[in-house]
Amino acid sequence: MTRLDALNAIYPQLEKQIVVTIMGAVAAELQSIGHRPNFFYLQHAMGLASSMGLGIALSKPDRRVVVLDGDGSVLMNLGGLTTLARYRPRNLVHVVFDNESLLSVGGFPTATATGSDLAGIAAAAGVPRTATVDTVTAFRAAFEEALGAGDLTTLVAKVDAVGPSGYVTDLSLLENRFQFQRYLRS
Ligand SMILES: Cc1ncc(C[n+]2csc(CCOP(=O)(O)OP(=O)(O)O)c2C)c(N)n1
């Protein structure tokens, strides 16, 4: 499955949630489908998208938060999983698009290319619900189940190491930041 196909499959659900993505390919691909004021693209800070999602989820318990992450980013800060599990926000779904690659900076293989299992690591960190899927149909079903489950989920989607032709979009970081802040306050 491509990540773009996976994103298209869940986009209708994303429209209603608070969404935080990590930077690079996933941010550009989500924006290519359609930006919304409830989408925030965390720049640069690999491994911290789940931490930002955690803060929002804890401060807005009546809303659901979806974090869209990358394997290289999660691997750069595995402690983020233990922090997520410790606070266990039941309104957070953590999706990790695992392309076994640092695609956004040239496609160097990550540790998942040599067998590291991020869903297994998340489970061992204490995340109560984890799964790995590798088809669009299974991803859509697992994502919808996670949204309705009422507990913290880390869902690893194995995707092809392909991405957009460019990562620069016409949405500037500051514009995204202020728009998202206003959305969260409204
Ligand atoms: C702390 C930090 N180190 C390095 C970078 C440079 N960098 C930007 S994107 C990226 C790769 C991200 O990999 P992954 O999360 O697997 O997503 P993919 O690009 O494969 O979609 C790197 C190393 C960064 N932004 N932040």
Side-chain angles (χ1 to χ4, degrees):
M1 108 175 105
T2 67
R3 179 174 40 208
L4 189 58
D5 285 344
L7 286 170
N8 269 305
I10 62 168
Y11 188 82
Q13 276 83 19
L14 293 184
E15 289 188 67
K16 299 169 211 119
Q17 321 304 335
I18 295 169
V19 178
V20 177
T21 82
I22 196 59
M23 83 282 123
V26 65
E29 284 181 340
L30 184 59
Q31 285 179 58
S32 76
I33 301 171
H35 171 66
R36 294 180 56 84
N38 48 312
F39 294 176
F40 183 75
Y41 316 96
L42 181 64
Q43 296 295 318
H44 308 302
M46 290 175 74
L48 291 172
S50 67
S51 303
M52 181 168 179
L54 170 62
I56 296 169
L58 292 177
S59 63
K60 293 201 169 291
D62 52 331
R63 294 292 312 273
R64 282 181 300 198
V65 177
V66 175
V67 174
L68 302 176
D69 222 333
D71 54 301
S73 297
V74 172
L75 285 162
M76 196 171 273
N77 180 27
L78 286 174
L81 292 172
T82 60
T83 306
L84 252 193
R86 168 179 285 188
Y87 291 97
R88 195 176 174 173
R90 289 162 194 269
N91 54 335
L92 191 149
V93 178
H94 182 210
V95 174
V96 184
F97 289 113
D98 181 4
N99 55 15
E100 304 186 354
S101 167
L102 298 170
L103 185 74
S104 303
V105 288
F108 309 99
T110 68
T112 61
T114 49
S116 296
D117 167 10
L118 287 176
I121 293 171
V127 175
R129 300 185 78 258
T130 62
T132 301
V133 292
D134 60 7
T135 66
V136 173
T137 309
F139 176 64
R140 185 193 285 114
F143 182 78
E144 282 174 7
E145 200 183 310
L147 272 184
D151 209 346
L152 172 64
T153 302
T154 293
L155 175 58
V156 177
K158 299 294 275 190
V159 291
D160 304 336
V162 293
S165 50
Y167 302 122
V168 178
T169 71
D170 59 3
L171 181 68
S172 81
L173 188 153
L174 284 178
E175 187 177 348
N176 183 214
R177 172 181 154 187
F178 293 131
Q179 186 184 52
F180 187 66
Q181 264 180 344
R182 279 196 298 273
Y183 171 81
L184 291 180
R185 287 200 184 113
S186 67

PDB file of all heavy atoms in Angstrom, residues 18-20 35-41 52 56 59-60 63 171-186:
ATOM      1  N   ILE A  18      -8.762  16.114  15.647  1.00  0.00           N
ATOM      2  CA  ILE A  18      -7.570  16.962  15.724  1.00  0.00           C
ATOM      3  C   ILE A  18      -6.412  16.107  15.208  1.00  0.00           C
ATOM      4  O   ILE A  18      -6.203  14.989  15.689  1.00  0.00           O
ATOM      5  CB  ILE A  18      -7.320  17.409  17.182  1.00  0.00           C
ATOM      6  CG1 ILE A  18      -8.474  18.304  17.660  1.00  0.00           C
ATOM      7  CG2 ILE A  18      -5.979  18.136  17.289  1.00  0.00           C
ATOM      8  CD1 ILE A  18      -8.455  18.577  19.161  1.00  0.00           C
ATOM      9  N   VAL A  19      -5.686  16.616  14.210  1.00  0.00           N
ATOM     10  CA  VAL A  19      -4.667  15.803  13.550  1.00  0.00           C
ATOM     11  C   VAL A  19      -3.297  16.480  13.668  1.00  0.00           C
ATOM     12  O   VAL A  19      -3.165  17.667  13.372  1.00  0.00           O
ATOM     13  CB  VAL A  19      -5.007  15.597  12.052  1.00  0.00           C
ATOM     14  CG1 VAL A  19      -3.916  14.778  11.355  1.00  0.00           C
ATOM     15  CG2 VAL A  19      -6.369  14.907  11.898  1.00  0.00           C
ATOM     16  N   VAL A  20      -2.314  15.717  14.134  1.00  0.00           N
ATOM     17  CA  VAL A  20      -0.926  16.200  14.185  1.00  0.00           C
ATOM     18  C   VAL A  20      -0.086  15.244  13.346  1.00  0.00           C
ATOM     19  O   VAL A  20      -0.114  14.029  13.588  1.00  0.00           O
ATOM     20  CB  VAL A  20      -0.380  16.230  15.629  1.00  0.00           C
ATOM     21  CG1 VAL A  20       1.087  16.659  15.634  1.00  0.00           C
ATOM     22  CG2 VAL A  20      -1.209  17.166  16.503  1.00  0.00           C
ATOM     23  N   HIS A  35      -5.825  20.467   2.910  1.00  0.00           N
ATOM     24  CA  HIS A  35      -5.533  20.994   4.246  1.00  0.00           C
ATOM     25  C   HIS A  35      -6.821  21.413   4.936  1.00  0.00           C
ATOM     26  O   HIS A  35      -7.773  21.834   4.291  1.00  0.00           O
ATOM     27  CB  HIS A  35      -4.591  22.205   4.136  1.00  0.00           C
ATOM     28  CG  HIS A  35      -4.437  22.915   5.443  1.00  0.00           C
ATOM     29  ND1 HIS A  35      -3.821  22.308   6.523  1.00  0.00           N
ATOM     30  CD2 HIS A  35      -4.847  24.136   5.867  1.00  0.00           C
ATOM     31  CE1 HIS A  35      -3.857  23.148   7.547  1.00  0.00           C
ATOM     32  NE2 HIS A  35      -4.476  24.258   7.172  1.00  0.00           N
ATOM     33  N   ARG A  36      -6.814  21.281   6.264  1.00  0.00           N
ATOM     34  CA  ARG A  36      -7.933  21.771   7.063  1.00  0.00           C
ATOM     35  C   ARG A  36      -7.371  22.475   8.303  1.00  0.00           C
ATOM     36  O   ARG A  36      -6.256  22.174   8.732  1.00  0.00           O
ATOM     37  CB  ARG A  36      -8.845  20.611   7.504  1.00  0.00           C
ATOM     38  CG  ARG A  36      -9.562  19.938   6.339  1.00  0.00           C
ATOM     39  CD  ARG A  36     -10.435  18.805   6.832  1.00  0.00           C
ATOM     40  NE  ARG A  36     -11.399  19.252   7.829  1.00  0.00           N
ATOM     41  CZ  ARG A  36     -12.577  19.791   7.539  1.00  0.00           C
ATOM     42  NH1 ARG A  36     -12.948  19.928   6.286  1.00  0.00           N
ATOM     43  NH2 ARG A  36     -13.394  20.162   8.502  1.00  0.00           N
ATOM     44  N   PRO A  37      -8.149  23.386   8.914  1.00  0.00           N
ATOM     45  CA  PRO A  37      -7.634  24.122  10.081  1.00  0.00           C
ATOM     46  C   PRO A  37      -7.323  23.224  11.277  1.00  0.00           C
ATOM     47  O   PRO A  37      -6.576  23.617  12.171  1.00  0.00           O
ATOM     48  CB  PRO A  37      -8.751  25.099  10.439  1.00  0.00           C
ATOM     49  CG  PRO A  37      -9.785  24.981   9.397  1.00  0.00           C
ATOM     50  CD  PRO A  37      -9.472  23.831   8.496  1.00  0.00           C
ATOM     51  N   ASN A  38      -7.896  22.027  11.304  1.00  0.00           N
ATOM     52  CA  ASN A  38      -7.646  21.092  12.413  1.00  0.00           C
ATOM     53  C   ASN A  38      -6.449  20.185  12.152  1.00  0.00           C
ATOM     54  O   ASN A  38      -6.239  19.219  12.875  1.00  0.00           O
ATOM     55  CB  ASN A  38      -8.893  20.241  12.693  1.00  0.00           C
ATOM     56  CG  ASN A  38      -9.495  19.625  11.444  1.00  0.00           C
ATOM     57  OD1 ASN A  38      -9.692  20.317  10.446  1.00  0.00           O
ATOM     58  ND2 ASN A  38      -9.787  18.346  11.470  1.00  0.00           N
ATOM     59  N   PHE A  39      -5.645  20.489  11.123  1.00  0.00           N
ATOM     60  CA  PHE A  39      -4.440  19.707  10.825  1.00  0.00           C
ATOM     61  C   PHE A  39      -3.212  20.530  11.181  1.00  0.00           C
ATOM     62  O   PHE A  39      -3.069  21.671  10.721  1.00  0.00           O
ATOM     63  CB  PHE A  39      -4.341  19.369   9.334  1.00  0.00           C
ATOM     64  CG  PHE A  39      -5.409  18.448   8.792  1.00  0.00           C
ATOM     65  CD1 PHE A  39      -5.445  18.156   7.440  1.00  0.00           C
ATOM     66  CD2 PHE A  39      -6.369  17.863   9.606  1.00  0.00           C
ATOM     67  CE1 PHE A  39      -6.414  17.321   6.903  1.00  0.00           C
ATOM     68  CE2 PHE A  39      -7.350  17.017   9.079  1.00  0.00           C
ATOM     69  CZ  PHE A  39      -7.371  16.755   7.724  1.00  0.00           C
ATOM     70  N   PHE A  40      -2.302  19.953  11.965  1.00  0.00           N
ATOM     71  CA  PHE A  40      -1.036  20.631  12.270  1.00  0.00           C
ATOM     72  C   PHE A  40       0.125  19.745  11.845  1.00  0.00           C
ATOM     73  O   PHE A  40       0.165  18.552  12.169  1.00  0.00           O
ATOM     74  CB  PHE A  40      -0.916  20.943  13.769  1.00  0.00           C
ATOM     75  CG  PHE A  40       0.337  21.704  14.086  1.00  0.00           C
ATOM     76  CD1 PHE A  40       0.456  23.057  13.771  1.00  0.00           C
ATOM     77  CD2 PHE A  40       1.426  21.070  14.671  1.00  0.00           C
ATOM     78  CE1 PHE A  40       1.624  23.759  14.037  1.00  0.00           C
ATOM     79  CE2 PHE A  40       2.600  21.765  14.943  1.00  0.00           C
ATOM     80  CZ  PHE A  40       2.690  23.111  14.621  1.00  0.00           C
ATOM     81  N   TYR A  41       1.071  20.334  11.141  1.00  0.00           N
ATOM     82  CA  TYR A  41       2.216  19.594  10.602  1.00  0.00           C
ATOM     83  C   TYR A  41       3.450  19.999  11.413  1.00  0.00           C
ATOM     84  O   TYR A  41       4.002  21.085  11.206  1.00  0.00           O
ATOM     85  CB  TYR A  41       2.405  19.919   9.118  1.00  0.00           C
ATOM     86  CG  TYR A  41       1.091  19.922   8.353  1.00  0.00           C
ATOM     87  CD1 TYR A  41       0.399  21.118   8.132  1.00  0.00           C
ATOM     88  CD2 TYR A  41       0.518  18.737   7.896  1.00  0.00           C
ATOM     89  CE1 TYR A  41      -0.813  21.129   7.454  1.00  0.00           C
ATOM     90  CE2 TYR A  41      -0.704  18.744   7.225  1.00  0.00           C
ATOM     91  CZ  TYR A  41      -1.362  19.942   7.013  1.00  0.00           C
ATOM     92  OH  TYR A  41      -2.569  19.962   6.357  1.00  0.00           O
ATOM     93  N   MET A  52       3.284  15.895  21.173  1.00  0.00           N
ATOM     94  CA  MET A  52       2.384  17.030  20.960  1.00  0.00           C
ATOM     95  C   MET A  52       0.931  16.546  20.987  1.00  0.00           C
ATOM     96  O   MET A  52       0.069  17.169  21.616  1.00  0.00           O
ATOM     97  CB  MET A  52       2.687  17.700  19.628  1.00  0.00           C
ATOM     98  CG  MET A  52       1.808  18.893  19.386  1.00  0.00           C
ATOM     99  SD  MET A  52       2.366  19.895  18.021  1.00  0.00           S
ATOM    100  CE  MET A  52       1.058  21.127  18.058  1.00  0.00           C
ATOM    101  N   ILE A  56      -2.252  17.623  23.648  1.00  0.00           N
ATOM    102  CA  ILE A  56      -3.569  18.077  23.187  1.00  0.00           C
ATOM    103  C   ILE A  56      -4.655  17.111  23.677  1.00  0.00           C
ATOM    104  O   ILE A  56      -5.712  17.530  24.153  1.00  0.00           O
ATOM    105  CB  ILE A  56      -3.596  18.194  21.650  1.00  0.00           C
ATOM    106  CG1 ILE A  56      -2.611  19.262  21.180  1.00  0.00           C
ATOM    107  CG2 ILE A  56      -5.007  18.547  21.169  1.00  0.00           C
ATOM    108  CD1 ILE A  56      -2.377  19.279  19.678  1.00  0.00           C
ATOM    109  N   SER A  59      -5.453  17.684  27.285  1.00  0.00           N
ATOM    110  CA  SER A  59      -6.129  18.948  27.590  1.00  0.00           C
ATOM    111  C   SER A  59      -7.506  19.030  26.929  1.00  0.00           C
ATOM    112  O   SER A  59      -8.297  19.902  27.275  1.00  0.00           O
ATOM    113  CB  SER A  59      -5.267  20.142  27.185  1.00  0.00           C
ATOM    114  OG  SER A  59      -5.074  20.132  25.799  1.00  0.00           O
ATOM    115  N   LYS A  60      -7.782  18.128  25.992  1.00  0.00           N
ATOM    116  CA  LYS A  60      -9.094  18.125  25.340  1.00  0.00           C
ATOM    117  C   LYS A  60      -9.673  16.696  25.374  1.00  0.00           C
ATOM    118  O   LYS A  60      -9.798  16.035  24.345  1.00  0.00           O
ATOM    119  CB  LYS A  60      -8.974  18.602  23.888  1.00  0.00           C
ATOM    120  CG  LYS A  60      -8.579  20.074  23.776  1.00  0.00           C
ATOM    121  CD  LYS A  60      -8.960  20.640  22.433  1.00  0.00           C
ATOM    122  CE  LYS A  60      -8.832  22.144  22.409  1.00  0.00           C
ATOM    123  NZ  LYS A  60      -9.811  22.868  23.219  1.00  0.00           N
ATOM    124  N   ARG A  63     -12.323  15.447  22.884  1.00  0.00           N
ATOM    125  CA  ARG A  63     -12.025  15.373  21.445  1.00  0.00           C
ATOM    126  C   ARG A  63     -11.099  14.191  21.182  1.00  0.00           C
ATOM    127  O   ARG A  63     -10.388  13.739  22.067  1.00  0.00           O
ATOM    128  CB  ARG A  63     -11.320  16.665  20.988  1.00  0.00           C
ATOM    129  CG  ARG A  63     -12.170  17.919  21.072  1.00  0.00           C
ATOM    130  CD  ARG A  63     -13.318  17.924  20.071  1.00  0.00           C
ATOM    131  NE  ARG A  63     -12.901  17.574  18.717  1.00  0.00           N
ATOM    132  CZ  ARG A  63     -12.440  18.457  17.822  1.00  0.00           C
ATOM    133  NH1 ARG A  63     -12.360  19.734  18.143  1.00  0.00           N
ATOM    134  NH2 ARG A  63     -12.075  18.057  16.614  1.00  0.00           N
ATOM    135  N   LEU A 171       1.759  26.261   2.333  1.00  0.00           N
ATOM    136  CA  LEU A 171       1.277  26.620   3.674  1.00  0.00           C
ATOM    137  C   LEU A 171       2.488  26.869   4.564  1.00  0.00           C
ATOM    138  O   LEU A 171       3.267  25.948   4.830  1.00  0.00           O
ATOM    139  CB  LEU A 171       0.432  25.474   4.254  1.00  0.00           C
ATOM    140  CG  LEU A 171      -0.146  25.725   5.633  1.00  0.00           C
ATOM    141  CD1 LEU A 171      -1.213  26.816   5.590  1.00  0.00           C
ATOM    142  CD2 LEU A 171      -0.750  24.450   6.201  1.00  0.00           C
ATOM    143  N   SER A 172       2.651  28.113   5.022  1.00  0.00           N
ATOM    144  CA  SER A 172       3.842  28.383   5.833  1.00  0.00           C
ATOM    145  C   SER A 172       3.629  27.893   7.262  1.00  0.00           C
ATOM    146  O   SER A 172       2.500  27.764   7.745  1.00  0.00           O
ATOM    147  CB  SER A 172       4.172  29.876   5.832  1.00  0.00           C
ATOM    148  OG  SER A 172       3.357  30.521   6.770  1.00  0.00           O
ATOM    149  N   LEU A 173       4.758  27.610   7.902  1.00  0.00           N
ATOM    150  CA  LEU A 173       4.744  27.069   9.261  1.00  0.00           C
ATOM    151  C   LEU A 173       3.963  27.981  10.215  1.00  0.00           C
ATOM    152  O   LEU A 173       3.127  27.510  10.989  1.00  0.00           O
ATOM    153  CB  LEU A 173       6.198  26.930   9.714  1.00  0.00           C
ATOM    154  CG  LEU A 173       6.549  26.223  11.009  1.00  0.00           C
ATOM    155  CD1 LEU A 173       7.953  25.658  10.886  1.00  0.00           C
ATOM    156  CD2 LEU A 173       6.475  27.169  12.188  1.00  0.00           C
ATOM    157  N   LEU A 174       4.217  29.295  10.129  1.00  0.00           N
ATOM    158  CA  LEU A 174       3.549  30.201  11.069  1.00  0.00           C
ATOM    159  C   LEU A 174       2.048  30.277  10.803  1.00  0.00           C
ATOM    160  O   LEU A 174       1.243  30.314  11.731  1.00  0.00           O
ATOM    161  CB  LEU A 174       4.177  31.594  10.992  1.00  0.00           C
ATOM    162  CG  LEU A 174       5.530  31.729  11.685  1.00  0.00           C
ATOM    163  CD1 LEU A 174       6.088  33.141  11.514  1.00  0.00           C
ATOM    164  CD2 LEU A 174       5.435  31.386  13.170  1.00  0.00           C
ATOM    165  N   GLU A 175       1.673  30.283   9.530  1.00  0.00           N
ATOM    166  CA  GLU A 175       0.253  30.334   9.209  1.00  0.00           C
ATOM    167  C   GLU A 175      -0.445  29.095   9.781  1.00  0.00           C
ATOM    168  O   GLU A 175      -1.504  29.190  10.401  1.00  0.00           O
ATOM    169  CB  GLU A 175       0.075  30.406   7.695  1.00  0.00           C
ATOM    170  CG  GLU A 175      -1.370  30.641   7.285  1.00  0.00           C
ATOM    171  CD  GLU A 175      -1.521  30.773   5.782  1.00  0.00           C
ATOM    172  OE1 GLU A 175      -0.497  30.911   5.081  1.00  0.00           O
ATOM    173  OE2 GLU A 175      -2.670  30.728   5.325  1.00  0.00           O
ATOM    174  N   ASN A 176       0.166  27.933   9.590  1.00  0.00           N
ATOM    175  CA  ASN A 176      -0.385  26.683  10.114  1.00  0.00           C
ATOM    176  C   ASN A 176      -0.490  26.758  11.635  1.00  0.00           C
ATOM    177  O   ASN A 176      -1.509  26.390  12.240  1.00  0.00           O
ATOM    178  CB  ASN A 176       0.508  25.519   9.671  1.00  0.00           C
ATOM    179  CG  ASN A 176      -0.015  24.151  10.091  1.00  0.00           C
ATOM    180  OD1 ASN A 176       0.762  23.250  10.378  1.00  0.00           O
ATOM    181  ND2 ASN A 176      -1.317  23.955  10.127  1.00  0.00           N
ATOM    182  N   ARG A 177       0.543  27.290  12.267  1.00  0.00           N
ATOM    183  CA  ARG A 177       0.568  27.375  13.731  1.00  0.00           C
ATOM    184  C   ARG A 177      -0.572  28.245  14.271  1.00  0.00           C
ATOM    185  O   ARG A 177      -1.302  27.843  15.175  1.00  0.00           O
ATOM    186  CB  ARG A 177       1.919  27.949  14.164  1.00  0.00           C
ATOM    187  CG  ARG A 177       2.004  28.252  15.627  1.00  0.00           C
ATOM    188  CD  ARG A 177       3.355  28.832  15.974  1.00  0.00           C
ATOM    189  NE  ARG A 177       3.259  29.652  17.164  1.00  0.00           N
ATOM    190  CZ  ARG A 177       4.241  30.398  17.627  1.00  0.00           C
ATOM    191  NH1 ARG A 177       5.390  30.435  17.000  1.00  0.00           N
ATOM    192  NH2 ARG A 177       4.088  31.112  18.712  1.00  0.00           N
ATOM    193  N   PHE A 178      -0.733  29.433  13.698  1.00  0.00           N
ATOM    194  CA  PHE A 178      -1.751  30.351  14.230  1.00  0.00           C
ATOM    195  C   PHE A 178      -3.159  29.843  13.911  1.00  0.00           C
ATOM    196  O   PHE A 178      -4.059  29.940  14.732  1.00  0.00           O
ATOM    197  CB  PHE A 178      -1.532  31.764  13.693  1.00  0.00           C
ATOM    198  CG  PHE A 178      -0.251  32.380  14.206  1.00  0.00           C
ATOM    199  CD1 PHE A 178       0.644  32.980  13.346  1.00  0.00           C
ATOM    200  CD2 PHE A 178       0.062  32.341  15.559  1.00  0.00           C
ATOM    201  CE1 PHE A 178       1.827  33.537  13.822  1.00  0.00           C
ATOM    202  CE2 PHE A 178       1.245  32.886  16.047  1.00  0.00           C
ATOM    203  CZ  PHE A 178       2.129  33.484  15.170  1.00  0.00           C
ATOM    204  N   GLN A 179      -3.316  29.297  12.714  1.00  0.00           N
ATOM    205  CA  GLN A 179      -4.631  28.771  12.340  1.00  0.00           C
ATOM    206  C   GLN A 179      -5.026  27.616  13.268  1.00  0.00           C
ATOM    207  O   GLN A 179      -6.161  27.545  13.742  1.00  0.00           O
ATOM    208  CB  GLN A 179      -4.576  28.289  10.891  1.00  0.00           C
ATOM    209  CG  GLN A 179      -5.900  27.843  10.330  1.00  0.00           C
ATOM    210  CD  GLN A 179      -5.747  27.286   8.923  1.00  0.00           C
ATOM    211  OE1 GLN A 179      -4.925  26.405   8.688  1.00  0.00           O
ATOM    212  NE2 GLN A 179      -6.528  27.817   8.000  1.00  0.00           N
ATOM    213  N   PHE A 180      -4.078  26.733  13.559  1.00  0.00           N
ATOM    214  CA  PHE A 180      -4.338  25.570  14.415  1.00  0.00           C
ATOM    215  C   PHE A 180      -4.643  26.020  15.845  1.00  0.00           C
ATOM    216  O   PHE A 180      -5.563  25.505  16.488  1.00  0.00           O
ATOM    217  CB  PHE A 180      -3.123  24.644  14.360  1.00  0.00           C
ATOM    218  CG  PHE A 180      -3.305  23.319  15.064  1.00  0.00           C
ATOM    219  CD1 PHE A 180      -4.210  22.378  14.603  1.00  0.00           C
ATOM    220  CD2 PHE A 180      -2.530  23.006  16.180  1.00  0.00           C
ATOM    221  CE1 PHE A 180      -4.355  21.147  15.243  1.00  0.00           C
ATOM    222  CE2 PHE A 180      -2.667  21.783  16.817  1.00  0.00           C
ATOM    223  CZ  PHE A 180      -3.588  20.852  16.351  1.00  0.00           C
ATOM    224  N   GLN A 181      -3.864  26.994  16.324  1.00  0.00           N
ATOM    225  CA  GLN A 181      -4.124  27.542  17.677  1.00  0.00           C
ATOM    226  C   GLN A 181      -5.546  28.078  17.767  1.00  0.00           C
ATOM    227  O   GLN A 181      -6.264  27.811  18.731  1.00  0.00           O
ATOM    228  CB  GLN A 181      -3.171  28.703  17.958  1.00  0.00           C
ATOM    229  CG  GLN A 181      -1.935  28.324  18.727  1.00  0.00           C
ATOM    230  CD  GLN A 181      -1.049  29.523  18.971  1.00  0.00           C
ATOM    231  OE1 GLN A 181      -1.194  30.573  18.325  1.00  0.00           O
ATOM    232  NE2 GLN A 181      -0.113  29.393  19.867  1.00  0.00           N
ATOM    233  N   ARG A 182      -5.945  28.851  16.759  1.00  0.00           N
ATOM    234  CA  ARG A 182      -7.301  29.416  16.766  1.00  0.00           C
ATOM    235  C   ARG A 182      -8.335  28.299  16.738  1.00  0.00           C
ATOM    236  O   ARG A 182      -9.346  28.357  17.433  1.00  0.00           O
ATOM    237  CB  ARG A 182      -7.492  30.361  15.563  1.00  0.00           C
ATOM    238  CG  ARG A 182      -6.912  31.757  15.775  1.00  0.00           C
ATOM    239  CD  ARG A 182      -7.451  32.747  14.753  1.00  0.00           C
ATOM    240  NE  ARG A 182      -7.092  32.381  13.396  1.00  0.00           N
ATOM    241  CZ  ARG A 182      -5.947  32.727  12.796  1.00  0.00           C
ATOM    242  NH1 ARG A 182      -5.066  33.482  13.441  1.00  0.00           N
ATOM    243  NH2 ARG A 182      -5.698  32.343  11.572  1.00  0.00           N
ATOM    244  N   TYR A 183      -8.056  27.269  15.951  1.00  0.00           N
ATOM    245  CA  TYR A 183      -8.988  26.137  15.868  1.00  0.00           C
ATOM    246  C   TYR A 183      -9.149  25.483  17.241  1.00  0.00           C
ATOM    247  O   TYR A 183     -10.273  25.212  17.694  1.00  0.00           O
ATOM    248  CB  TYR A 183      -8.508  25.112  14.835  1.00  0.00           C
ATOM    249  CG  TYR A 183      -9.315  23.847  14.882  1.00  0.00           C
ATOM    250  CD1 TYR A 183     -10.552  23.774  14.233  1.00  0.00           C
ATOM    251  CD2 TYR A 183      -8.885  22.743  15.640  1.00  0.00           C
ATOM    252  CE1 TYR A 183     -11.318  22.626  14.337  1.00  0.00           C
ATOM    253  CE2 TYR A 183      -9.659  21.605  15.724  1.00  0.00           C
ATOM    254  CZ  TYR A 183     -10.876  21.566  15.072  1.00  0.00           C
ATOM    255  OH  TYR A 183     -11.640  20.436  15.176  1.00  0.00           O
ATOM    256  N   LEU A 184      -8.031  25.253  17.925  1.00  0.00           N
ATOM    257  CA  LEU A 184      -8.090  24.577  19.236  1.00  0.00           C
ATOM    258  C   LEU A 184      -8.824  25.427  20.262  1.00  0.00           C
ATOM    259  O   LEU A 184      -9.499  24.898  21.149  1.00  0.00           O
ATOM    260  CB  LEU A 184      -6.679  24.261  19.738  1.00  0.00           C
ATOM    261  CG  LEU A 184      -5.896  23.184  18.983  1.00  0.00           C
ATOM    262  CD1 LEU A 184      -4.522  22.989  19.611  1.00  0.00           C
ATOM    263  CD2 LEU A 184      -6.654  21.857  18.953  1.00  0.00           C
ATOM    264  N   ARG A 185      -8.704  26.749  20.142  1.00  0.00           N
ATOM    265  CA  ARG A 185      -9.376  27.637  21.117  1.00  0.00           C
ATOM    266  C   ARG A 185     -10.855  27.793  20.830  1.00  0.00           C
ATOM    267  O   ARG A 185     -11.630  28.139  21.713  1.00  0.00           O
ATOM    268  CB  ARG A 185      -8.717  29.028  21.077  1.00  0.00           C
ATOM    269  CG  ARG A 185      -7.343  29.039  21.715  1.00  0.00           C
ATOM    270  CD  ARG A 185      -6.931  30.449  22.103  1.00  0.00           C
ATOM    271  NE  ARG A 185      -5.583  30.461  22.612  1.00  0.00           N
ATOM    272  CZ  ARG A 185      -4.565  31.061  21.990  1.00  0.00           C
ATOM    273  NH1 ARG A 185      -4.758  31.724  20.885  1.00  0.00           N
ATOM    274  NH2 ARG A 185      -3.371  31.034  22.521  1.00  0.00           N
ATOM    275  N   SER A 186     -11.237  27.580  19.588  1.00  0.00           N
ATOM    276  CA  SER A 186     -12.635  27.905  19.203  1.00  0.00           C
ATOM    277  C   SER A 186     -13.602  26.825  19.689  1.00  0.00           C
ATOM    278  O   SER A 186     -13.226  25.704  19.959  1.00  0.00           O
ATOM    279  CB  SER A 186     -12.747  28.031  17.694  1.00  0.00           C
ATOM    280  OG  SER A 186     -12.539  26.759  17.090  1.00  0.00           O
TER     281      SER A 186
END
